[in-house]
Amino acid sequence: MNYLQYFRLRAEPFGHAPAQEAYYASAAHTRVVDRLLWAVEGMRGLAVVSGHVGYGKTSIARRLMSLLAPKDY
């Protein structure tokens, strides 16, 4: 049994780019996204996210882009 079957996943979550469907909104990630939204919506000049490899910086950036994307109503 592979991990897809074991965890009952429908798609591969570990590719070259993080899958947004597998995004886990931890408390720390939620705080970072909230602060980035505050910076963007307030038109602040600069916002920096730093961390070690694997901490979720790309996932946070993709989450932010999805939140800022135009909505189809």
Side-chain angles (χ1 to χ4, degrees):
M1 173 181 291
N2 64 28
Y3 69 92
L4 292 173
Q5 294 168 331
Y6 182 81
F7 290 109
R8 297 182 183 150
L9 299 173
R10 291 181 302 251
E12 177 72 44
F14 308 112
H16 294 300
Q20 278 300 295
E21 301 81 30
Y23 178 75
Y24 174 69
S26 71
H29 287 102
T30 301
R31 279 193 307 273
V32 172
V33 170
D34 288 344
R35 289 179 185 180
L36 289 172
L37 282 172
W38 173 81
V40 170
E41 291 169 352
M43 296 175 53
R44 305 306 192 277
L46 178 69
V48 177
V49 177
S50 64
H52 292 287
V53 174
Y55 276 22
K57 298 176 299 294
T58 303
S59 294
I60 288 169
R62 289 173 175 262
R63 175 70 176 159
L64 181 67
M65 289 189 303
S66 72
L67 291 172
L68 295 172
K71 307 288 189 270
D72 293 330
Y73 292 104

Coordinates of all heavy atoms in Angstrom, one line a residue:
M1 N 0.8 -1.2 0.0 CA 0.0 0.0 0.0 C 0.9 1.2 0.0 O 1.8 1.4 0.8 CB -0.9 0.0 1.2 CG -1.7 1.2 1.4 SD -2.7 1.3 2.9 CE -4.0 0.1 2.5
N2 N 0.6 2.2 -0.9 CA 1.4 3.4 -0.9 C 0.7 4.5 -0.1 O -0.4 4.3 0.4 CB 1.6 3.9 -2.4 CG 0.3 4.3 -3.1 OD1 -0.7 4.7 -2.4 ND2 0.3 4.2 -4.4
Y3 N 1.4 5.6 0.1 CA 0.8 6.6 1.0 C -0.5 7.3 0.5 O -1.3 7.7 1.3 CB 1.9 7.7 1.4 CG 2.2 8.6 0.3 CD1 1.6 9.8 0.1 CD2 3.3 8.3 -0.6 CE1 1.9 10.7 -0.9 CE2 3.6 9.2 -1.6 CZ 3.0 10.3 -1.8 OH 3.3 11.2 -2.8
L4 N -0.7 7.3 -0.8 CA -1.9 7.8 -1.4 C -3.1 7.0 -0.9 O -4.1 7.5 -0.5 CB -1.9 7.8 -2.9 CG -0.9 8.8 -3.5 CD1 -0.9 8.6 -5.0 CD2 -1.3 10.2 -3.2
Q5 N -2.9 5.7 -1.0 CA -4.0 4.8 -0.5 C -4.1 4.8 1.0 O -5.2 4.9 1.5 CB -3.7 3.3 -0.9 CG -3.8 3.1 -2.4 CD -3.2 1.8 -2.8 OE1 -2.3 1.2 -2.2 NE2 -3.6 1.2 -3.9
Y6 N -3.0 4.8 1.7 CA -3.0 4.8 3.2 C -3.8 6.0 3.7 O -4.6 5.9 4.6 CB -1.6 4.8 3.7 CG -1.5 4.7 5.2 CD1 -1.7 3.5 5.9 CD2 -1.3 5.9 6.0 CE1 -1.7 3.4 7.3 CE2 -1.3 5.8 7.3 CZ -1.4 4.6 8.0 OH -1.4 4.6 9.4
F7 N -3.5 7.2 3.2 CA -4.1 8.4 3.7 C -5.4 8.8 2.9 O -5.9 9.9 3.1 CB -3.1 9.6 3.6 CG -2.0 9.5 4.6 CD1 -0.7 9.2 4.2 CD2 -2.3 9.6 6.0 CE1 0.3 9.1 5.1 CE2 -1.2 9.5 6.9 CZ 0.1 9.3 6.5
R8 N -5.8 7.9 2.0 CA -7.0 8.1 1.2 C -7.0 9.4 0.4 O -7.9 10.2 0.4 CB -8.2 8.0 2.0 CG -8.4 6.7 2.7 CD -9.6 6.6 3.5 NE -9.7 5.3 4.1 CZ -10.2 5.0 5.3 NH1 -10.9 6.0 5.9 NH2 -10.2 3.8 5.8
L9 N -5.8 9.7 -0.2 CA -5.7 10.9 -1.1 C -6.1 10.6 -2.5 O -5.8 9.5 -3.0 CB -4.2 11.3 -1.0 CG -3.7 11.7 0.4 CD1 -2.2 12.0 0.3 CD2 -4.4 12.9 0.9
R10 N -6.7 11.6 -3.1 CA -7.1 11.4 -4.5 C -6.0 11.9 -5.5 O -6.0 11.4 -6.6 CB -8.4 12.2 -4.8 CG -9.6 11.7 -4.1 CD -10.8 12.6 -4.4 NE -10.5 13.9 -4.0 CZ -11.1 14.6 -3.0 NH1 -12.0 13.9 -2.3 NH2 -10.7 15.8 -2.7
A11 N -5.1 12.8 -5.0 CA -4.1 13.3 -5.9 C -2.8 13.4 -5.2 O -2.7 13.4 -3.9 CB -4.5 14.7 -6.4
E12 N -1.7 13.5 -5.9 CA -0.4 13.6 -5.4 C -0.2 15.0 -4.7 O -0.3 16.0 -5.4 CB 0.6 13.5 -6.5 CG 2.1 13.6 -6.2 CD 2.6 12.5 -5.4 OE1 2.3 11.3 -5.8 OE2 3.3 12.7 -4.4
P13 N 0.0 15.0 -3.4 CA 0.2 16.3 -2.7 C 1.6 16.9 -2.7 O 1.8 18.1 -2.4 CB -0.2 16.0 -1.3 CG 0.2 14.6 -1.1 CD 0.0 13.9 -2.4
F14 N 2.6 16.1 -3.1 CA 4.0 16.5 -3.0 C 4.6 16.6 -4.4 O 5.3 15.6 -4.8 CB 4.8 15.5 -2.1 CG 4.1 15.3 -0.8 CD1 3.6 14.1 -0.4 CD2 4.1 16.3 0.1 CE1 3.0 13.9 0.8 CE2 3.5 16.1 1.4 CZ 3.0 14.9 1.7
G15 N 4.4 17.6 -5.1 CA 5.0 17.8 -6.4 C 6.0 18.9 -6.3 O 6.5 19.3 -5.3
H16 N 6.3 19.5 -7.5 CA 7.2 20.6 -7.5 C 6.7 21.9 -6.9 O 7.5 22.7 -6.3 CB 7.6 20.9 -9.0 CG 8.3 19.8 -9.7 ND1 9.6 19.4 -9.2 CD2 8.1 19.1 -10.7 CE1 10.0 18.4 -10.0 NE2 9.1 18.2 -10.9
A17 N 5.4 22.1 -6.9 CA 4.8 23.2 -6.2 C 3.7 22.7 -5.3 O 3.1 21.6 -5.6 CB 4.2 24.1 -7.3
P18 N 3.5 23.3 -4.2 CA 2.5 22.9 -3.2 C 1.1 22.9 -3.8 O 0.7 23.8 -4.6 CB 2.6 23.9 -2.1 CG 3.8 24.6 -2.3 CD 4.2 24.5 -3.7
A19 N 0.3 21.9 -3.5 CA -1.1 21.8 -3.9 C -1.9 22.6 -3.0 O -1.9 22.4 -1.8 CB -1.5 20.3 -4.0
Q20 N -2.6 23.6 -3.5 CA -3.5 24.4 -2.7 C -4.6 23.6 -2.0 O -5.1 24.0 -1.0 CB -4.0 25.6 -3.5 CG -3.1 26.7 -3.6 CD -2.7 27.3 -2.3 OE1 -3.5 27.9 -1.6 NE2 -1.4 27.2 -1.9
E21 N -5.0 22.6 -2.6 CA -6.0 21.7 -2.1 C -5.6 21.1 -0.8 O -6.4 20.7 0.1 CB -6.5 20.6 -3.0 CG -7.0 21.1 -4.3 CD -5.9 21.5 -5.3 OE1 -4.8 20.9 -5.3 OE2 -6.2 22.4 -6.1
A22 N -4.3 21.0 -0.6 CA -3.7 20.3 0.6 C -3.2 21.4 1.6 O -2.5 21.0 2.5 CB -2.6 19.4 0.2
Y23 N -3.5 22.6 1.4 CA -3.1 23.7 2.3 C -3.6 23.5 3.7 O -4.8 23.3 3.9 CB -3.5 25.1 1.8 CG -3.1 26.2 2.6 CD1 -1.8 26.7 2.7 CD2 -4.1 26.9 3.4 CE1 -1.5 27.7 3.5 CE2 -3.7 27.9 4.3 CZ -2.4 28.4 4.3 OH -2.1 29.4 5.1
Y24 N -2.7 23.5 4.7 CA -3.2 23.4 6.1 C -3.0 24.8 6.7 O -1.9 25.3 6.9 CB -2.3 22.4 6.8 CG -2.6 22.3 8.3 CD1 -3.8 21.8 8.7 CD2 -1.6 22.8 9.2 CE1 -4.1 21.8 10.1 CE2 -1.9 22.7 10.6 CZ -3.1 22.2 11.0 OH -3.4 22.2 12.3
A25 N -4.1 25.4 7.2 CA -4.0 26.7 7.8 C -3.7 26.6 9.3 O -4.6 26.7 10.1 CB -5.4 27.4 7.5
S26 N -2.5 26.4 9.6 CA -2.1 26.4 11.0 C -2.2 27.8 11.6 O -2.4 28.8 10.8 CB -0.6 25.9 11.1 OG 0.3 27.0 10.6
A27 N -2.1 27.9 12.9 CA -2.3 29.2 13.5 C -1.2 30.2 13.0 O -1.4 31.3 12.8 CB -2.2 29.0 15.0
A28 N 0.0 29.7 12.9 CA 1.2 30.5 12.5 C 1.0 30.9 11.0 O 1.2 32.1 10.7 CB 2.5 29.7 12.6
H29 N 0.6 30.0 10.1 CA 0.3 30.4 8.7 C -0.8 31.4 8.6 O -0.8 32.3 7.8 CB 0.0 29.2 7.9 CG 1.2 28.3 7.7 ND1 1.5 27.1 8.4 CD2 2.3 28.4 6.8 CE1 2.6 26.6 7.9 NE2 3.1 27.4 7.0
T30 N -1.9 31.2 9.4 CA -3.0 32.1 9.4 C -2.6 33.5 9.8 O -3.0 34.5 9.2 CB -4.1 31.6 10.2 OG1 -4.5 30.3 9.8 CG2 -5.3 32.5 10.2
R31 N -1.7 33.6 10.8 CA -1.3 35.0 11.3 C -0.4 35.6 10.2 O -0.6 36.8 9.9 CB -0.4 34.8 12.5 CG -1.2 34.7 13.8 CD -0.3 34.9 15.0 NE 0.9 34.0 15.1 CZ 0.9 32.8 15.5 NH1 -0.2 32.3 16.0 NH2 2.0 32.1 15.5
V32 N 0.4 34.9 9.5 CA 1.2 35.4 8.4 C 0.3 35.9 7.3 O 0.5 37.0 6.8 CB 2.3 34.4 7.9 CG1 3.0 34.9 6.7 CG2 3.3 34.1 9.0
V33 N -0.6 35.1 6.9 CA -1.5 35.5 5.8 C -2.3 36.8 6.2 O -2.4 37.7 5.4 CB -2.5 34.3 5.4 CG1 -3.6 34.8 4.5 CG2 -1.7 33.2 4.8
D34 N -2.8 36.8 7.4 CA -3.5 38.0 7.9 C -2.7 39.2 7.8 O -3.1 40.3 7.4 CB -4.1 37.8 9.3 CG -5.2 36.8 9.4 OD1 -5.8 36.5 8.3 OD2 -5.5 36.3 10.5
R35 N -1.4 39.1 8.3 CA -0.5 40.3 8.2 C -0.2 40.7 6.8 O -0.1 41.9 6.5 CB 0.8 40.0 9.0 CG 0.5 39.9 10.5 CD 1.7 39.5 11.3 NE 1.4 39.4 12.7 CZ 2.3 39.1 13.6 NH1 3.5 38.9 13.3 NH2 1.9 38.9 14.9
L36 N 0.0 39.7 5.9 CA 0.2 40.1 4.5 C -1.0 40.7 3.9 O -0.8 41.7 3.1 CB 0.6 38.8 3.7 CG 2.0 38.2 4.1 CD1 2.2 36.9 3.4 CD2 3.1 39.2 3.7
L37 N -2.2 40.3 4.2 CA -3.4 40.9 3.7 C -3.5 42.4 4.2 O -3.8 43.3 3.5 CB -4.6 40.1 4.1 CG -4.9 38.9 3.3 CD1 -6.1 38.1 4.0 CD2 -5.3 39.2 1.9
W38 N -3.1 42.6 5.5 CA -3.1 43.9 6.1 C -2.2 44.8 5.3 O -2.5 45.9 5.0 CB -2.7 43.8 7.5 CG -2.5 45.1 8.2 CD1 -3.5 45.9 8.7 CD2 -1.3 45.7 8.5 NE1 -2.9 47.1 9.3 CE2 -1.5 47.0 9.1 CE3 0.0 45.4 8.2 CZ2 -0.5 47.8 9.5 CZ3 1.0 46.3 8.6 CH2 0.7 47.5 9.2
A39 N -1.0 44.3 5.0 CA 0.0 45.0 4.3 C -0.4 45.4 2.8 O -0.3 46.5 2.4 CB 1.3 44.3 4.2
V40 N -1.0 44.4 2.2 CA -1.5 44.6 0.8 C -2.7 45.6 0.8 O -2.7 46.5 0.0 CB -1.9 43.3 0.1 CG1 -2.6 43.5 -1.2 CG2 -0.6 42.4 -0.1
E41 N -3.7 45.3 1.6 CA -4.9 46.2 1.6 C -4.6 47.6 2.1 O -5.2 48.5 1.6 CB -5.9 45.5 2.4 CG -6.5 44.3 1.8 CD -7.4 43.4 2.7 OE1 -7.5 43.8 3.9 OE2 -8.0 42.5 2.2
G42 N -3.6 47.8 2.9 CA -3.2 49.1 3.4 C -2.1 49.7 2.5 O -1.7 50.8 2.8
M43 N -1.8 49.1 1.4 CA -0.8 49.5 0.4 C 0.5 49.9 1.1 O 1.1 50.9 0.8 CB -1.4 50.7 -0.4 CG -2.6 50.2 -1.2 SD -3.5 51.5 -2.1 CE -2.2 52.4 -3.0
R44 N 0.9 49.1 2.0 CA 2.2 49.3 2.7 C 3.3 49.0 1.7 O 3.1 48.2 0.7 CB 2.4 48.3 3.9 CG 1.3 48.3 4.9 CD 1.1 49.7 5.5 NE 0.3 49.8 6.7 CZ -1.0 49.9 6.7 NH1 -1.7 49.7 5.6 NH2 -1.7 50.0 7.9
G45 N 4.5 49.5 1.9 CA 5.5 49.4 0.9 C 6.2 48.1 0.8 O 6.6 47.7 -0.3
L46 N 6.3 47.4 1.9 CA 7.1 46.2 1.9 C 6.6 45.2 2.9 O 6.3 45.6 4.1 CB 8.6 46.5 2.1 CG 9.5 45.3 2.2 CD1 9.7 44.7 0.9 CD2 10.9 45.8 2.8
A47 N 6.5 43.9 2.6 CA 6.2 42.9 3.5 C 7.1 41.7 3.2 O 7.3 41.3 2.1 CB 4.8 42.4 3.4
V48 N 7.8 41.2 4.2 CA 8.8 40.1 4.0 C 8.4 38.9 4.8 O 8.0 39.0 6.0 CB 10.2 40.6 4.5 CG1 11.2 39.4 4.3 CG2 10.6 41.8 3.7
V49 N 8.4 37.7 4.2 CA 8.2 36.5 4.9 C 9.5 35.7 4.8 O 10.0 35.4 3.6 CB 7.0 35.7 4.3 CG1 6.9 34.3 5.0 CG2 5.7 36.5 4.4
S50 N 10.1 35.3 5.9 CA 11.3 34.5 5.8 C 11.1 33.2 6.6 O 10.3 33.2 7.6 CB 12.5 35.3 6.3 OG 12.3 35.7 7.6
G51 N 11.9 32.3 6.3 CA 11.9 31.0 7.1 C 12.8 30.0 6.4 O 13.2 30.1 5.3
H52 N 13.0 28.9 7.1 CA 13.8 27.8 6.5 C 13.1 27.1 5.4 O 11.8 27.2 5.3 CB 14.2 26.8 7.7 CG 15.1 27.4 8.7 ND1 16.5 27.6 8.4 CD2 14.9 27.8 9.9 CE1 17.0 28.1 9.5 NE2 16.1 28.2 10.4
V53 N 13.8 26.3 4.7 CA 13.2 25.4 3.7 C 12.1 24.5 4.3 O 12.4 23.9 5.3 CB 14.3 24.6 3.0 CG1 13.7 23.6 2.0 CG2 15.3 25.4 2.3
G54 N 11.0 24.5 3.7 CA 9.9 23.6 4.1 C 9.0 24.2 5.1 O 8.1 23.5 5.6
Y55 N 9.1 25.5 5.5 CA 8.3 26.1 6.4 C 6.9 26.6 5.9 O 6.0 27.0 6.6 CB 9.0 27.3 7.1 CG 9.9 26.9 8.3 CD1 10.4 25.6 8.4 CD2 10.2 27.9 9.2 CE1 11.2 25.3 9.4 CE2 11.1 27.5 10.3 CZ 11.5 26.2 10.4 OH 12.4 25.9 11.4
G56 N 6.8 26.6 4.5 CA 5.5 26.9 3.9 C 5.4 28.3 3.3 O 4.3 28.8 3.1
K57 N 6.5 28.9 3.0 CA 6.5 30.2 2.4 C 5.8 30.3 1.1 O 5.0 31.1 0.8 CB 7.9 30.8 2.3 CG 8.7 30.9 3.6 CD 10.1 31.4 3.4 CE 10.9 30.4 2.6 NZ 11.2 29.1 3.2
T58 N 6.1 29.3 0.2 CA 5.4 29.2 -1.1 C 3.9 28.9 -0.9 O 3.1 29.6 -1.6 CB 6.1 28.1 -2.0 OG1 7.5 28.4 -2.1 CG2 5.4 28.1 -3.3
S59 N 3.6 28.1 0.0 CA 2.1 27.8 0.3 C 1.4 29.1 0.7 O 0.3 29.3 0.3 CB 2.0 26.7 1.3 OG 2.5 25.5 0.9
I60 N 2.1 29.8 1.6 CA 1.5 31.1 2.1 C 1.3 32.1 0.9 O 0.3 32.7 0.8 CB 2.4 31.7 3.2 CG1 2.2 30.8 4.5 CG2 2.0 33.1 3.5 CD1 3.2 31.2 5.6
A61 N 2.3 32.2 0.1 CA 2.3 33.1 -1.1 C 1.1 32.7 -2.0 O 0.4 33.5 -2.5 CB 3.6 33.1 -1.8
R62 N 1.0 31.4 -2.3 CA -0.1 30.9 -3.2 C -1.5 31.1 -2.5 O -2.4 31.5 -3.2 CB 0.1 29.5 -3.5 CG 1.3 29.3 -4.5 CD 1.5 27.8 -4.7 NE 2.6 27.6 -5.7 CZ 2.3 27.3 -6.9 NH1 1.1 27.2 -7.4 NH2 3.3 27.2 -7.8
R63 N -1.5 31.0 -1.2 CA -2.8 31.2 -0.5 C -3.2 32.7 -0.6 O -4.3 33.1 -0.8 CB -2.6 30.8 1.0 CG -3.8 31.1 1.9 CD -5.0 30.2 1.5 NE -6.1 30.5 2.4 CZ -7.3 30.2 2.2 NH1 -7.7 29.6 1.1 NH2 -8.2 30.5 3.1
L64 N -2.2 33.6 -0.4 CA -2.4 35.0 -0.5 C -2.9 35.4 -1.9 O -3.9 36.1 -2.0 CB -1.2 35.8 -0.1 CG -1.3 37.3 -0.2 CD1 -2.2 37.8 0.9 CD2 0.1 37.9 0.0
M65 N -2.3 34.8 -2.9 CA -2.7 35.1 -4.3 C -4.1 34.6 -4.5 O -4.9 35.3 -5.2 CB -1.7 34.5 -5.3 CG -0.4 35.2 -5.3 SD 0.7 34.6 -6.7 CE 0.8 32.9 -6.4
S66 N -4.5 33.5 -4.0 CA -5.9 33.0 -4.2 C -6.9 33.9 -3.4 O -8.0 34.1 -3.9 CB -6.0 31.5 -3.7 OG -5.9 31.4 -2.3
L67 N -6.5 34.4 -2.3 CA -7.4 35.3 -1.6 C -7.6 36.7 -2.3 O -8.6 37.3 -2.2 CB -6.9 35.5 -0.1 CG -7.0 34.3 0.8 CD1 -6.3 34.6 2.1 CD2 -8.4 33.9 1.0
L68 N -6.5 37.1 -3.0 CA -6.6 38.4 -3.7 C -7.1 38.3 -5.1 O -7.3 39.3 -5.7 CB -5.2 39.0 -3.6 CG -4.6 39.4 -2.3 CD1 -3.2 39.8 -2.4 CD2 -5.5 40.4 -1.6
A69 N -7.3 37.1 -5.6 CA -7.7 36.9 -7.0 C -9.1 37.5 -7.1 O -9.9 37.4 -6.2 CB -7.7 35.5 -7.4
P70 N -9.4 38.1 -8.3 CA -10.8 38.5 -8.5 C -11.8 37.4 -8.4 O -11.6 36.3 -8.8 CB -10.8 39.1 -9.9 CG -9.3 39.2 -10.3 CD -8.6 38.3 -9.4
K71 N -12.9 37.7 -7.8 CA -14.0 36.7 -7.6 C -15.0 36.8 -8.7 O -15.3 37.9 -9.1 CB -14.7 36.9 -6.2 CG -13.7 36.9 -5.0 CD -13.2 35.6 -4.7 CE -12.4 35.6 -3.4 NZ -11.0 35.9 -3.5
D72 N -15.5 35.7 -9.2 CA -16.6 35.7 -10.2 C -17.9 35.6 -9.4 O -18.2 34.6 -8.8 CB -16.4 34.5 -11.1 CG -15.2 34.6 -12.0 OD1 -14.8 35.7 -12.3 OD2 -14.6 33.5 -12.3
Y73 N -18.7 36.6 -9.5 CA -20.0 36.6 -8.8 C -21.1 36.4 -9.8 O -21.1 36.8 -10.9 CB -20.2 37.9 -8.1 CG -19.2 38.0 -6.9 CD1 -18.1 38.9 -7.0 CD2 -19.4 37.3 -5.7 CE1 -17.2 39.0 -5.9 CE2 -18.6 37.4 -4.7 CZ -17.5 38.3 -4.8 OH -16.6 38.4 -3.7

